[in-house]
């Protein structure tokens, strides 16, 4: 009886979620109609109609069964939501004929929803514009989280909604900015949409056409990295576009709760946010270091600053846009960029990676350990945002980073099995788990992931999803204790 | 004034003594007959043996004609309920309750300040209690006051004034040694006024002919800025307090730390907290209870918190506590506080403040070499007394176990003192006018013989406790 209602709840939530994503197909459909790309229309319309039918088939017979699920079940719901989502996102890519195999289409879809932004294609400019827009739209949907969107639109989830969102959002401390989780989810999505519209307009003014402007805005806010140009943002070679995208990548890497505080005029909460301060400090230091290192390449401080800040913020916020090939930069500059692979953006943002706040906590713990050596009787506590952090937060962070590095290690190993050299597969693994996009070596910003063997692509899909869902939601199924009653 | 006191504990009795000394009619209610017999022998007051939280009992005791009700039983709930009960029937009675549990305590002054637009006047007092007295809060406030005054003996301050009375011991070799008070002006150009002298345990109000000797404890009225100079004149040195060790992270300790640490930060400086932290004092909190230290470490990020036994010499040396400027002993064990403070003083800590149980221990503490003993029970009694005074009396302090009182009042137009110079109304040994403030002026002036009093002036005077009522009625409208 319980299992039946759990299963019904599961399919109901998944069907609602897929129908919401199906509804977003309307945007590429409009673009396809506008640009006379009639051949790709069926590959959008058919899955859209199917998702609506699925919604009806599931919900009509089960409408009397209320949605209910336990804590244990939330992980199943969120994990499978993302898997189904990726499969659904791959359908238009595959049936439009833009991608040679379903494996490639799936990799592209997962890379999109997980906001990684690694493509398997060498030339994206030949793709239909509607397909390119859909690739960027997956970033946008995956960035803030599709489950969050579902909760925002479907208040019926009630208390369980917070459990679901917790399994999807990032960071060690998850809270709500408003009393009701539905309101919080709505507020976050509204801020997100507001930024996207602003950036679209700015990019249009800076010289892109509407579809490109929207595509890049979607990809920036989701900290994804897909572009409609093969040379990424570098293809535009425009200072204005560089600046706009740099600023919005920076903004997308910040905890979106802070924008809510800004709108409700709680500026003290913003300035006391430890992660925010650290994020800015790290970015300033790394940009300075990289700028100095690449002055010999560009022979101009201004140009160096422009390219350095774009690349650093792009990698730090795990977006993965490029305006320059950093593989041609001196290794002293590359070192700093590699460092950003380990850091990531802020918790509660759309970025991936380990997240700044976890390093902040570890730094504070190191400080406490050294103080404890000097003052054996001292009592120390960790403060975040001028408040005391949860007691076991250090253990939480340490175990996260351990699992993270373990997953990077396995992903590296699988890459080497696919005959990729060690350096490329290591940085590729960091890029996959951290949802960054480009790696170093063969997987650098001017190359693509198309040459990889299928099994490596499938594993990378898993690694990207695990990275996006902050590991535990994905890997909990591999823990024996999960299956014990 | 008619006053009913519910609860014949230490505070109740102490309060009754002080009130009876001022010729008030006091009724003590307690449910323990033996205690009441004891009270009856000690204090000249009515005693009623019954439960104080019963309205009939209170009515029998004459609550209808009473001016004030003070509830100081050992039970917070009884104190609060009794006041609420009386408030419902006799709203005009002034109600004071001792509330030990901090969770119940509402600081009336803070509440009024915070809700100044809609709180004052329109509402009944919270729970029907006009003033809540929390011993921890009173003690902590006294400690903070002492620290702010540089932890030199007892210092009394006055509202809105730069002036204070510092009680300083005259050391051998001081320029004041062997000098008559009337000649003191020749030794310094600062305005000083010796308001009382404690000689061999006897406190008296001085006259111009009184001679200061080494070993005397003198209460000097002076401006805050002149304190270090006065200390120097008396032969002792005062150092700027930079490093503070607080022993005891209990309720009192926490409150002390909260005020001392936050007083270093203003709202604007929070933004520049990075620069500010370097300038804040070195503040160390020590307690042997891990739970308390954990809580303290979570609460006070600016302080260093240690979980250790403060009497462990190895620990004190290791952390360099012995070179600290000030140690505050505020644990719940008052005897331990004194011993620890004396021990720390002997190890080289500059100044020590110790929380003691009552003023009886103050002498012990002084003998042990503790700079400032703060008596927990006296802080409570002082606070209740100040609330019980008539409306024109702003503030009252007792000096030396209540033998002397410093009272602030307004000269009324009917008063015999109005319009006269101080030297004409002087009554040596009875009272001494310390300060006066002209109506409409913010600053107090140190009074001298030629000062003329006008109605509406505020005066601060020191007097013997037995005479305080008489002296007050001399200045304030006589009944």
């Amino acid at each position: 009886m319980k299992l039946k209602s759990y299963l019904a709840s599961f399919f109901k939530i998944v069907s609602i979620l897929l129908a919401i994503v199906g509804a977003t197909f309307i945007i590429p459909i409009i673009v396809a109609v506008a640009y006379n790309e009639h051949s790709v229309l069926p590959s959008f319309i058919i899955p859209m109609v199917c998702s609506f039918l699925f919604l009806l088939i599931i919900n009509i017979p089960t409408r009397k069964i209320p949605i209910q699920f336990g804590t244990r079940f939330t992980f199943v719901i969120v994990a499978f939501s993302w898997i189904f989502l990726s499969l659904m996102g791959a359908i238009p890519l595959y049936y439009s004929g833009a991608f040679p195999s379903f494996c490639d289409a799936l990799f592209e879809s997962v890379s999109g929803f997980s906001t990684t932004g690694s493509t398997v294609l060498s030339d994206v400019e030949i793709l239909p514009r509607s397909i390119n827009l859909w690739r960027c739209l997956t970033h946008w949907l995956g960035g803030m989280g599709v489950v969050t969107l579902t909760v925002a639109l479907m208040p019926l989830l009630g208390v369980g909604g917070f459990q679901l969102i917790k399994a999807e959002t990032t960071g060690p401390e998850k809270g709500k900015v408003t009393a009701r989780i539905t309101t919080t989810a709505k507020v976050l999505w509204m801020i997100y949409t507001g930024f996207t519209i602003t950036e679209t307009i700015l990019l249009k003014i800076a010289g892109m056409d509407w579809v490109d402007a929207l595509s890049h805005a979607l990809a920036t806010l989701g900290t994804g990295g897909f572009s409609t140009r093969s040379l990424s943002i570098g293809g535009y070679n425009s200072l204005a576009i560089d600046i706009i995208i740099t600023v919005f990548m920076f903004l997308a890497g910040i905890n979106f709760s802070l924008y809510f505080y800004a709108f409700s005029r709680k500026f003290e909460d913003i300035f006391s946010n430890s992660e925010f301060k650290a994020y800015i400090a790290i970015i300033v230091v790394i940009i300075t270091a990289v700028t100095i290192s690449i002055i010999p390449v560009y022979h101009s401080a201004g140009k160096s600053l422009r390219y350095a800040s774009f690349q650093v913020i792009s990698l730090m916020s795990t977006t993965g846009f490029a305006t320059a090939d950093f593989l041609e930069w001196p290794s002293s500059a590359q070192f700093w960029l590699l460092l950003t692979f380990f850091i990531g953006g802020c918790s509660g943002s759309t970025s991936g990676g380990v997240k700044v706040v976890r390093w902040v906590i570890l730094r504070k713990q190191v400080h406490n350990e050294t103080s404890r050596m000097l003052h054996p009787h001292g009592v120390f506590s960790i403060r975040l945002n001028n408040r005391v952090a949860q007691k076991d937060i250090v253990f939480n962070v340490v175990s996260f980073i351990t699992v993270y590095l373990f997953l990077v290690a396995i992903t590296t190993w699988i890459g080497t099995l696919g005959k990729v050299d060690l350096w490329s597969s290591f940085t590729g693994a960091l890029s996959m788990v951290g949802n960054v996009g480009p790696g170093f070596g063969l997987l650098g910003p001017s190359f693509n992931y198309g040459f990889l063997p299928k099994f490596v692509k499938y594993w990378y899909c898993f690694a990207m999803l695990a990275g996006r869902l902050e590991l535990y939601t994905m890997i909990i199924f591999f823990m024996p204790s999960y299956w014990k009653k | 004034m008619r006053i009913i006191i519910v609860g014949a504990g230490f505070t109740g009795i102490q309060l009754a003594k002080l009130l009876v000394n001022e010729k008030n009619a006091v009724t003590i209610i307690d449910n323990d007959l033996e205690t009441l017999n004891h009270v009856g022998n000690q204090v000249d007051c009515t005693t009623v043996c019954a439960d104080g939280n019963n309205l009939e009992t209170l009515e029998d005791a004459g609550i209808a004609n009473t001016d004030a009700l003070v509830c100081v039983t050992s039970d917070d709930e009884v104190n609060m309920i009794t006041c609420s009960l009386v408030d419902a029937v006799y709203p005009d009675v002034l109600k004071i309750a001792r509330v030990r549990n901090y969770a119940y305590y509402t600081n009336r002054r803070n509440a009024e300040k915070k809700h100044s637009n809609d709180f004052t006047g329109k509402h009944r007092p919270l729970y029907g209690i006009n003033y809540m007295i929390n011993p921890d809060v009173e003690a902590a406030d006294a400690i903070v006051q002492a620290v702010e005054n540089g932890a030199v003996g007892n210092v009394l301050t006055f509202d809105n004034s730069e002036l204070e009375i510092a009680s300083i011991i005259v050391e051998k070799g001081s320029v004041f040694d062997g000098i008559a008070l009337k000649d003191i002006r020749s030794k310094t150009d600062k305005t000083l006024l010796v308001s009382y002298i404690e000689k061999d345990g006897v406190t008296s109000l001085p006259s111009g002919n009184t001679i200061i000797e080494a070993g005397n404890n003198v209460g000097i009225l002076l401006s805050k800025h002149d304190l270090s100079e006065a200390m120097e004149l008396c032969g002792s040195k005062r150092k700027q307090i930079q490093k503070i060790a607080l022993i005891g992270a209990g309720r009192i300790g926490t409150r002390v730390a909260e005020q001392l640490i936050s007083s270093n930060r203003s709202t604007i400086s929070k933004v520049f907290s990075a620069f500010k932290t370097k300038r804040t004092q070195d503040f160390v909190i020590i307690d042997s209870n891990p739970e308390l230290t954990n809580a303290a470490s979570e609460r006070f990020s600016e302080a260093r918190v240690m979980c250790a036994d403060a009497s462990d010499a190895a620990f004190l040396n290791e952390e360099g506590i012995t070179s600290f400027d000030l140690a505050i002993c505020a644990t719940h064990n008052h005897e331990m506080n004194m011993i620890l403070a004396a021990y720390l003083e002997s190890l080289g800590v500059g100044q020590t403040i110790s929380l003691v149980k009552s003023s009886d221990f103050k002498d012990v503490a002084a003998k042990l070499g503790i700079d400032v003993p703060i008596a927990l029970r006296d802080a409570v009694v002082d606070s209740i007394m100040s609330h019980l005074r008539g409306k024109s009396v702003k503030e009252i302090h007792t000096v030396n176990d209540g033998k002397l009182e410093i009272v602030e009042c307004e000269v009324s137009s009917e008063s015999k003192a109005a319009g006269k110079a101080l030297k004409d109304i002087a009554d040596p040994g009875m009272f001494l006018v310390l300060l006066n403030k002209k109506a409409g002026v913010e600053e107090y002036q140190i009074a001298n013989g030629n000062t003329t009093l006008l109605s509406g002036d505020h005066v601060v005077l020191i007097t013997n406790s037995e005479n305080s009522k008489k002296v007050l009625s001399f200045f304030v409208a006589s009944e």
Side-chain angles (χ1 to χ4, degrees):
Chain A
M1 196 56 215
K2 210 172 181 186
L3 186 72
K4 195 179 151 196
S5 83
Y6 273 18
L7 270 182
S9 310
F10 172 71
F11 280 110
K12 271 172 133 176
I13 293 173
V14 170
S15 67
I16 293 168
L17 189 127
L18 292 182
I20 289 173
V21 175
T24 62
F25 279 10
I26 197 78
I27 300 168
I29 287 172
I30 292 168
V31 172
V33 171
Y35 285 89
N36 287 321
E37 294 165 346
H38 297 300
S39 61
V40 299
L41 274 179
S43 46
F44 283 111
I45 291 174
I46 292 168
M48 179 162 101
V49 173
C50 286
S51 72
F52 292 158
L53 286 178
F54 184 57
L55 179 73
L56 294 179
I57 291 166
I58 295 292
N59 279 271
I60 289 174
T62 62
R63 66 187 178 281
K64 294 232 168 86
I65 305 173
I67 290 184
Q68 64 169 85
F69 47 87
T71 320
R72 189 180 283 253
F73 212 63
T74 55
F75 298 107
V76 180
I77 293 173
V78 173
F80 278 91
S81 293
W82 278 80
I83 291 167
F84 286 144
L85 188 69
S86 308
L87 290 170
M88 188 173 163
I91 292 170
L93 300 179
Y94 181 58
Y95 281 102
S96 63
F99 288 82
S101 69
F102 188 74
C103 174
D104 283 342
L106 182 68
F107 182 90
E108 195 81 359
S109 170
V110 171
S111 168
F113 280 112
S114 66
T115 75
T116 306
S118 303
T119 182
V120 291
L121 297 179
S122 53
D123 188 2
V124 292
E125 280 160 44
I126 53 164
L127 291 179
R129 305 205 73 178
S130 53
I131 292 290
N132 261 333
L133 181 65
W134 170 242
R135 288 167 69 229
C136 294
L137 190 57
T138 56
H139 280 328
W140 194 71
L141 292 170
M144 188 51 84
V146 187
V147 175
T148 311
L149 180 62
T150 311
V151 173
L153 297 177
M154 291 288 139
L156 58 117
L157 290 176
V159 183
F162 191 38
Q163 295 290 339
L164 291 176
I165 286 186
K166 271 197 198 163
E168 190 186 63
T169 50
T170 56
E173 279 191 320
K174 294 163 186 177
K176 304 188 268 187
V177 288
T178 58
R180 295 181 57 223
I181 187 64
T182 315
T183 327
T184 302
K186 265 186 200 149
V187 162
L188 293 179
W189 268 94
M190 274 160 62
I191 293 169
Y192 192 44
T193 313
F195 273 129
T196 313
I197 294 169
T198 316
E199 195 194 343
T200 308
I201 294 168
L202 288 175
L203 286 178
K204 169 74 177 112
I205 295 168
M208 288 191 185
D209 66 27
W210 279 113
V211 176
D212 275 359
L214 178 62
S215 301
H216 283 107
L218 295 171
T220 314
L221 263 296
T223 66
F226 283 151
S227 173
T228 57
R229 297 288 180 101
S230 299
L231 288 173
S232 192
I233 308 300
Y236 290 95
N237 200 13
S238 146
L239 179 62
I241 289 175
D242 279 11
I243 291 172
I244 293 166
I245 292 187
T246 308
V247 168
F248 277 89
M249 286 192 296
F250 172 77
L251 294 176
I254 295 171
N255 190 339
F256 274 72
S257 306
L258 295 191
Y259 300 123
F260 177 74
Y261 294 142
F263 286 123
S264 41
R265 311 207 158 273
K266 291 190 225 161
F267 294 111
E268 203 151 295
D269 281 336
I270 298 174
F271 294 117
S272 67
N273 190 292
S274 318
E275 186 181 26
F276 177 61
K277 288 187 279 191
Y279 177 68
I280 292 177
I282 294 170
I283 283 183
V284 169
V285 167
I286 296 185
I287 287 179
T288 316
V290 172
T291 307
I292 292 167
S293 320
I294 63 172
I295 284 178
V297 179
Y298 294 99
H299 305 294
S300 139
K303 234 177 178 178
S304 302
L305 180 65
R306 170 181 162 188
Y307 289 121
S309 49
F310 190 97
Q311 280 11 269
V312 169
I313 293 179
S314 170
L315 295 178
M316 178 90 176
S317 67
T318 73
T319 310
F321 280 143
T323 53
D325 188 352
F326 54 73
L327 292 185
E328 288 163 11
W329 290 357
S331 52
S332 60
Q334 289 185 22
F335 162 78
W336 291 102
L337 295 178
L338 179 66
L339 207 56
T340 62
F341 279 61
F342 287 94
I343 301 170
C346 298
S347 62
S349 70
T350 59
S351 63
V354 177
K355 306 284 178 312
V356 174
V357 67
R358 294 205 168 86
W359 295 114
V360 170
I361 291 167
L362 284 191
R363 194 201 69 81
K364 294 196 174 198
Q365 180 64 15
V366 168
H367 178 259
N368 282 358
E369 291 299 335
T370 46
S371 312
R372 196 166 286 135
M373 287 165 127
L374 292 173
H375 307 287
H377 291 282
V379 180
F380 304 97
S381 54
I382 290 195
R383 300 175 73 84
L384 273 182
N385 313 341
N386 279 355
R387 275 186 289 274
V388 182
Q390 291 161 18
K391 283 217 161 56
D392 46 4
I393 197 155
V394 176
F395 300 110
N396 178 319
V397 169
V398 169
S399 61
F400 177 87
I401 292 180
T402 310
V403 176
Y404 191 93
L405 294 179
F406 186 64
L407 186 61
V408 168
I410 293 183
T411 310
T412 309
W413 173 62
I414 296 205
T416 55
L417 290 183
K419 305 276 189 292
V420 183
D421 69 280
L422 184 59
W423 178 237
S424 304
S425 70
F426 171 63
T427 53
L430 276 177
S431 179
M432 289 298 107
V433 180
N435 300 149
V436 181
F440 286 77
L442 294 175
L443 303 173
S446 50
F447 301 98
N448 64 65
Y449 286 64
F451 71 92
L452 293 170
K454 275 193 176 172
F455 72 94
V456 177
K457 281 182 189 160
Y458 281 125
W459 178 264
Y460 276 10
C461 284
F462 171 76
M464 285 188 279
L465 281 184
R468 170 61 185 83
L469 298 178
E470 297 225 308
L471 313 178
Y472 293 117
T473 309
M474 258 345 239
I475 63 168
I476 199 162
F477 303 109
F478 297 97
M479 302 292 173
S481 57
Y482 181 81
W483 300 102
K484 279 185 193 143
K485 274 278 164 185
Chain B
M1 221 173 162
R2 289 162 186 278
I3 294 151
I4 294 182
I5 298 174
V6 181
F10 179 91
T11 312
I13 298 172
Q14 190 72 14
L15 204 56
K17 271 185 198 165
L18 288 173
L19 289 168
V20 167
N21 278 349
E22 294 185 18
K23 316 270 185 296
N24 292 300
V26 177
T27 305
I28 292 195
I29 305 180
D30 199 291
N31 54 10
D32 187 71
L33 192 59
E34 216 163 302
T35 318
L36 282 181
N37 286 336
H38 176 65
V39 174
N41 294 336
Q42 277 191 310
V43 191
D44 180 21
C45 64
T46 321
T47 57
V48 177
C49 181
D51 282 331
N53 57 350
N54 182 327
L55 197 57
E56 276 174 38
T57 312
L58 289 163
E59 276 168 348
D60 286 346
I63 189 81
N65 304 319
T66 302
D67 300 299
L69 171 76
V70 181
C71 298
V72 285
T73 69
S74 56
D75 197 332
D76 284 353
E77 287 80 2
V78 169
N79 292 344
M80 294 171 73
I81 288 170
T82 309
C83 286
S84 303
L85 195 65
V86 169
D87 185 64
V89 188
Y90 305 102
D92 295 334
V93 176
L94 177 75
K95 291 159 293 282
I96 300 175
R98 180 175 63 188
V99 179
R100 285 204 178 103
N101 187 341
Y102 191 70
Y104 296 156
Y105 177 76
T106 319
N107 192 319
R108 193 186 148 96
R109 225 176 303 148
N110 289 353
E112 280 178 1
K113 213 182 275 172
K114 207 171 175 185
H115 308 278
S116 54
N117 292 327
D118 47 18
F119 182 81
T120 326
K122 289 184 190 162
H123 293 255
R124 296 294 308 147
L126 300 168
Y127 309 120
I129 304 168
N130 296 85
Y131 297 102
M132 281 194 197
I133 309 290
N134 182 297
D136 296 343
V137 172
E138 301 299 336
D141 288 355
I143 291 174
V144 171
Q145 188 89 69
V147 175
E148 280 170 0
N149 289 319
V152 283
N154 272 328
V155 177
L156 300 176
T157 53
F158 307 100
D159 283 350
N160 310 323
S161 168
E162 288 287 286
L163 299 163
E164 58 189 17
I165 296 180
S167 124
I168 308 169
I169 294 169
V170 179
E171 306 282 340
K172 274 209 172 72
S174 153
V175 285
F176 287 167
D177 192 2
I179 293 254
L181 282 188
K182 58 183 174 194
D183 301 325
I184 209 167
R185 290 263 153 87
S186 64
K187 296 291 173 195
T188 170
D189 54 346
K190 301 282 179 203
T191 327
L192 307 172
L193 181 67
V194 176
S195 22
Y196 63 87
I197 292 191
E198 192 185 339
K199 209 181 269 187
D200 307 325
V202 180
T203 312
S204 56
L205 296 178
S207 69
N209 299 322
T210 314
I211 291 170
I212 305 177
E213 287 161 20
N216 289 1
N217 193 353
V218 292
I220 302 181
L221 176 69
L222 38 61
S223 163
K224 269 177 190 160
H225 314 293
D226 300 338
L227 183 59
S228 46
E229 189 158 333
M231 297 282 297
E232 219 167 290
L233 290 171
C234 291
S236 59
K237 285 254 187 242
R238 180 196 185 204
K239 263 202 305 185
Q240 190 70 30
I241 293 173
Q242 287 294 342
K243 296 170 163 184
I244 302 178
L246 171 68
I247 295 128
R251 270 174 312 203
I252 297 178
T254 308
R255 228 188 122 76
V256 169
E258 189 180 293
Q259 295 187 53
L260 286 182
I261 292 173
S262 68
S263 67
N264 290 325
R265 285 184 307 183
S266 66
T267 336
I268 310 157
S269 67
K270 265 185 200 162
V271 181
F272 306 100
S273 52
F275 307 103
K276 197 77 185 169
T277 40
K278 281 175 195 111
R279 279 182 53 208
T280 46
Q281 296 152 322
D282 207 351
F283 201 95
V284 178
I285 301 174
I286 303 164
D287 202 299
S288 53
N289 181 339
E291 270 174 43
L292 292 178
T293 47
N294 275 334
S297 122
E298 289 175 1
R299 190 152 171 196
F300 305 112
S301 55
E302 294 91 343
R304 252 191 304 146
V305 183
M306 307 279 166
C307 181
D309 185 353
S311 58
D312 177 355
F315 161 73
L316 294 173
N317 279 322
E318 183 182 286
E319 294 295 341
I321 306 288
T322 47
S323 67
F324 269 44
D325 301 321
L326 172 67
I328 304 169
C329 299
T331 70
H332 55 88
N333 185 338
H334 299 153
E335 288 79 15
M336 190 65 183
N337 286 341
M338 283 195 290
I339 295 168
L340 208 51
Y343 178 55
L344 290 171
E345 183 104 41
S346 75
L347 287 180
V349 175
Q351 248 119 14
T352 50
I353 297 178
S354 166
L355 189 68
V356 300
K357 196 173 255 162
S358 64
S359 56
D360 299 339
F361 287 96
K362 274 189 166 179
D363 300 335
V364 181
K367 283 276 182 299
L368 287 172
I370 295 160
D371 294 294
V372 188
I374 304 281
L376 183 61
R377 283 166 167 173
D378 288 37
V380 174
V381 172
D382 276 0
S383 175
I384 295 177
M385 284 300 286
S386 74
H387 291 312
L388 278 177
R389 298 278 160 167
K391 275 189 187 138
S392 63
V393 179
K394 288 275 168 54
E395 220 177 333
I396 176 141
H397 303 278
T398 56
V399 181
N400 290 69
D401 197 14
K403 284 176 203 119
L404 292 177
E405 279 182 8
I406 293 168
V407 190
E408 191 181 331
C409 65
E410 191 179 325
V411 179
S412 74
S413 50
E414 296 108 83
S415 162
K416 283 174 205 143
K420 288 189 178 140
L422 281 183
K423 58 184 173 193
D424 300 327
I425 57 170
D427 190 354
M430 267 289 266
F431 69 90
L432 182 65
V433 174
L434 304 175
L435 301 168
N436 81 312
K437 181 172 83 170
K438 295 286 168 209
V441 183
E442 277 301 300
E443 280 293 294
Y444 277 100
Q445 300 292 328
I446 294 182
N448 61 41
N450 299 321
T451 309
T452 312
L453 293 181
L454 297 171
S455 75
D457 286 7
H458 280 259
V459 292
V460 173
L461 42 92
I462 185 163
T463 148
N464 285 316
S465 299
E466 306 100 73
N467 304 326
S468 75
K469 197 82 191 200
K470 201 157 75 187
V471 172
L472 262 184
S473 66
F474 177 70
F475 284 97
V476 187
S478 34
E479 285 154 37

